[in-house]
Amino acid sequence: MALIVQKYGGTSVGTIEKIKNVAKRAARTHDEGHQVVVVVSAMSGETNRLLGLAAQLAEIPNERELDVVASTGEQVTIGLLAIALTEMGYKARSFTGFQIPIETDTAYVKARIKKIGHSAIMDTLKEGGIAVVAGFQGIDETGSITTLGRGGSDTSAVAVAAALKADVCEIYTDVDGVYTTDPNICEDARKLDKISFEEMLELASLGAKVLQIRSVEFGMKYGVRIHVRSSFNDNPGTIATREEEIMETAVVSGIAFSKNEAKITFVKVPDKPGIAAKIFKPLTDANIVVDVIVQNVSVTGFTDLTFTVARSDYKKAMQVADVTAKEIGAAEVVGDDKIAKVSIVGMAMRSHAGVAMKVFETLSAEGINILGITTSEIKISVLIEEKYTELAVRVLHTAFGLGG
Ligand code: ADP
Ligand code: ASP
Ligand code: MG
């Protein structure tokens, strides 16, 4: 008998028929003699709809209240799934984040899980029941509802699996597993049987939304076996695991992209020590994560400094930047929120030269201009205009021979 955490994403619970399908899958696992905890997302499109309602009331809605609104999507699906299971003759009980409790910090909209209670879930399992847990949400020390960032149900599931010491955390979604790149934009993409946590961490952080980055961090830290697979068939999916377990590694194992990017440039900043700190401290204080930073060399005592933020933080970041620009005497702040980041990832890049060159040549052959570059040991990211994203992914996928 194993303890299995199954997470079903939005498309897997998008209709009543699909919720019935999820109930059947959870029931089947239970019938096989396993203890089952199901973590669910909101029905597909629901979180966007909820955030859209708030956006009609305020340009930058109060984030505590935004979480109150956004978290309701998952409350609906846990109730519906528990009803479906009960109707099939199973004992099932739904739990919201605060009923577990899933304790988080107070960073609304992108809260981090600190601690998970397990007695409520374990009591249900001991009684032979199926526990149905709301993904994406938690509660902070002040008793306020928090959410874990978009795609956060993956993190809820892996964190619950870690807390319960589950044998496996199955992430059920609308694709068969983790592919060399998003199979929805590149027909040629190939499914990976296994992927190292390190590579998955990079792919996730660079935009491969199949797993939320924090879920991979939890998996890595607590050694949770993560199996990404489809909720619509029984094909084996992709196992995310420790690097040692993977025999052969390709130089490049995957390509990720993110359209959730915006770039902001401080134009003609007096180039003095301490300027970068002055620019970035107010952004940090506003809880805005800065990603790629490009600073031009100054010849005349002035410099241009460009950085990227998540598109969802763009308006807030521009407001903060405008205030800073006046303080430091920058000529102006200009922004563009139609930017994408395309990244290639591979453990073996560490020991292979020429990967960056191949990226630059491949993009230049298509006339795609590179607006910024960052690299780490196992990845190269380039910023480009959003409209070239799909083209860039496809040509790079071919150039690195990733096709199936
Ligand atoms: P869920 O609603 O189940 O959480 P998501 O939409 O968050 O599903 O994640 C699944 C989607 O991730 C797929 O439909 C696919 O478009 C996208 N995706 C991006 N990169 C990859 C990749 N490398 N492998 C598989 N899917 C990917
Ligand atoms: N419903 C949330 C979202 O759309 C969480 C999730 O799906 O994982 O981001
Ligand atoms: Mg998701």
Side-chain angles (χ1 to χ4, degrees):
M1 184 181 75
L3 199 166
I4 299 178
V5 175
Q6 299 186 330
K7 178 261 172 176
Y8 293 91
T11 42
S12 304
V13 294
T15 62
I16 291 297
E17 276 316 306
K18 287 181 177 167
I19 290 176
K20 283 188 191 166
N21 171 54
V22 166
K24 279 186 204 142
R25 281 187 170 260
R28 190 175 75 194
T29 310
H30 184 268
D31 291 345
E32 285 164 2
H34 305 300
Q35 292 184 308
V36 183
V37 179
V38 185
V39 176
V40 281
S41 296
M43 295 168 86
S44 56
E46 181 60 8
T47 309
N48 285 344
R49 188 186 73 84
L50 293 165
L51 295 175
L53 292 176
Q56 291 175 42
L57 292 166
E59 198 176 0
I60 304 177
N62 177 287
E63 292 188 334
R64 178 188 182 276
E65 307 311 332
L66 198 55
D67 278 355
V68 171
V69 175
S71 63
T72 59
E74 275 72 12
Q75 184 164 338
V76 171
T77 42
I78 53 170
L80 292 175
L81 181 58
I83 291 171
L85 283 163
T86 310
E87 200 53 25
M88 288 164 59
Y90 291 84
K91 263 191 207 159
R93 197 182 162 107
S94 67
F95 297 96
T96 60
F98 70 83
Q99 288 171 327
I100 298 287
I102 295 179
E103 294 174 31
T104 72
D105 62 17
T106 54
Y108 301 115
V109 178
K110 46 188 147 194
R112 289 176 159 250
I113 297 176
K114 295 201 298 196
K115 204 172 139 201
I116 294 185
H118 41 306
S119 56
I121 298 178
M122 286 318 285
D123 288 349
T124 301
L125 297 181
K126 278 184 205 136
E127 290 164 9
I130 297 174
V132 182
V133 177
F136 186 49
Q137 56 177 264
I139 183 145
D140 72 5
E141 60 194 19
T142 70
S144 299
I145 293 172
T146 55
T147 66
L148 309 179
R150 299 307 306 270
S153 299
D154 298 328
T155 301
S156 310
V158 178
V160 165
L164 300 176
K165 299 195 169 52
D167 296 276
V168 62
C169 181
E170 298 176 333
I171 304 285
Y172 286 93
T173 182
D174 58 354
V175 288
D176 281 354
V178 179
Y179 282 70
T180 46
T181 191
D182 188 339
N184 287 319
I185 75 148
C186 186
E187 278 183 355
D188 231 19
R190 185 170 44 85
K191 186 173 79 185
L192 303 165
D193 296 330
K194 286 188 174 176
I195 187 163
S196 68
F197 282 129
E198 290 82 356
E199 284 168 323
M200 194 60 238
L201 204 58
E202 289 285 354
L203 287 175
S205 73
L206 297 167
K209 65 175 180 162
V210 63
L211 283 177
Q212 199 203 30
I213 177 165
R214 291 279 296 146
S215 71
V216 188
E217 285 171 7
F218 268 104
M220 196 160 167
K221 184 163 173 199
Y222 297 101
V224 179
R225 196 178 167 78
I226 301 177
H227 186 181
V228 180
R229 53 192 308 195
S230 167
S231 63
F232 305 118
N233 61 47
D234 289 322
N235 299 346
T238 303
I239 305 280
T241 184
R242 298 190 197 281
E243 192 187 349
E244 311 81 82
E245 276 189 48
I246 296 172
M247 303 299 285
E248 154 224 33
T249 44
V251 177
V252 171
S253 53
I255 300 180
F257 63 90
S258 160
K259 294 184 177 180
N260 180 31
E261 309 287 324
K263 91 179 157 82
I264 295 176
T265 303
F266 278 77
V267 181
K268 228 173 158 220
V269 184
D271 196 12
K272 294 190 287 234
I275 278 296
K278 285 215 176 81
I279 288 176
F280 293 117
K281 175 145 192 319
L283 292 162
T284 309
D285 292 346
N287 227 334
I288 295 167
V289 177
V290 170
D291 182 21
V292 180
I293 300 175
V294 184
Q295 187 183 349
N296 289 347
V297 257
S298 69
V299 264
T300 53
F302 292 96
T303 180
D304 291 345
L305 193 143
T306 300
F307 56 91
T308 61
V309 296
R311 206 173 282 177
S312 52
D313 281 338
Y314 178 63
K315 284 182 190 155
K316 199 160 115 183
M318 279 298 272
Q319 281 183 356
V320 173
D322 278 334
V323 175
T324 309
K326 290 194 184 79
E327 282 170 18
I328 62 174
E332 60 173 333
V333 175
V334 291
D336 181 353
D337 67 350
K338 297 280 177 294
I339 299 295
K341 185 169 68 175
V342 175
S343 311
I344 64 168
V345 172
M347 293 300 279
M349 264 164 67
R350 287 188 288 222
S351 49
H352 279 74
V355 178
M357 209 49 228
K358 197 166 186 171
V359 171
F360 305 152
E361 281 169 359
T362 306
L363 295 179
S364 108
E366 297 294 331
I368 301 172
N369 194 21
I370 298 173
L371 309 172
I373 304 164
T374 51
T375 62
S376 79
E377 262 198 320
I378 67 165
K379 74 118 201 276
I380 295 171
S381 298
V382 291
L383 299 177
I384 58 173
E385 279 180 71
E386 179 185 328
K387 63 182 180 196
Y388 294 123
T389 314
E390 283 80 7
L391 175 63
V393 169
R394 289 195 199 113
V395 294
L396 289 169
H397 195 265
T398 306
F400 285 97
L402 293 173

